[in-house]
Amino acid sequence: MTEEKTERKTVMTYVPAYQKERWKTHAERLGMSQSEFVRTMVQAGRRDFEIPDRTHADEAASDDGSGGGNEFEGRVLDALSAAEHRSWDELLDALTDDIEDRLDETLQDLQAANRVQYSGRHGGYALAPGAFEGDDGR
């Protein structure tokens, strides 16, 4: 390997205390350092490891006619390979662990872009006025 590939650089980020604690707990459960955990999760996210909706999962499973090979199936197999036995709840946790973090981050981004507003008075989130004006069609 070249020095460029092995040289390490520091990356700093700030997250809410509850999120850091959640990451720390998850890293410990996996026997990883916090740095290794964050690095692994970022790389997993870059490979687009998301739970596909039912339509896409069914399409992927039927692509080759084998009924297997879709991304979600691979995630299930990976989760099962991490332990001899996993309960339903453990599998569910392994496959959905980051959903709360992803929702929180997405809502923060949408609020920063003035597309979503939080109302304490109404106890929830709502589309901001004009949220879709000038949007690129998403």
Side-chain angles (χ1 to χ4, degrees):
M1 280 197 172
T2 65
E3 184 178 319
E4 183 179 296
K5 289 186 177 185
T6 59
E7 182 183 6
R8 294 186 177 266
K9 297 286 185 175
T10 300
V11 175
M12 291 182 59
T13 186
Y14 295 91
V15 297
Y18 76 88
Q19 188 172 46
K20 183 182 185 317
E21 189 58 37
R22 182 182 283 155
W23 289 357
K24 179 181 175 188
T25 300
H26 195 176
E28 288 171 353
R29 192 172 66 217
L30 295 172
M32 298 175 148
S33 70
Q34 289 179 56
S35 292
E36 181 182 18
F37 175 79
V38 171
R39 195 170 42 253
T40 301
M41 293 302 111
V42 168
Q43 286 304 106
R46 291 186 67 225
R47 288 191 291 261
D48 201 24
F49 279 106
E50 294 193 20
I51 299 172
D53 64 37
R54 174 53 80 199
T55 303
H56 292 111
D58 290 345
E59 288 170 4
S62 63
D63 279 348
D64 64 2
S66 68
N70 69 58
E71 182 179 329
F72 190 68
E73 182 178 291
R75 291 188 64 202
V76 171
L77 293 172
D78 286 345
L80 286 170
S81 71
E84 186 174 350
H85 294 93
R86 288 215 173 199
S87 70
W88 173 268
D89 289 338
E90 290 169 332
L91 281 171
L92 190 59
D93 184 48
L95 296 168
T96 62
D97 188 53
D98 66 340
I99 193 77
E100 288 181 46
D101 294 335
R102 289 172 34 207
L103 176 59
D104 182 54
E105 182 178 323
T106 300
L107 285 170
Q108 287 179 29
D109 291 346
L110 289 169
Q111 288 177 91
N114 294 318
R115 296 182 70 194
V116 168
Q117 294 176 335
Y118 178 78
S119 169
R121 181 177 182 189
H122 294 102
Y125 296 88
L127 290 175
F132 293 105
E133 292 174 12
D135 146 336
D136 61 1
R138 284 188 268 163

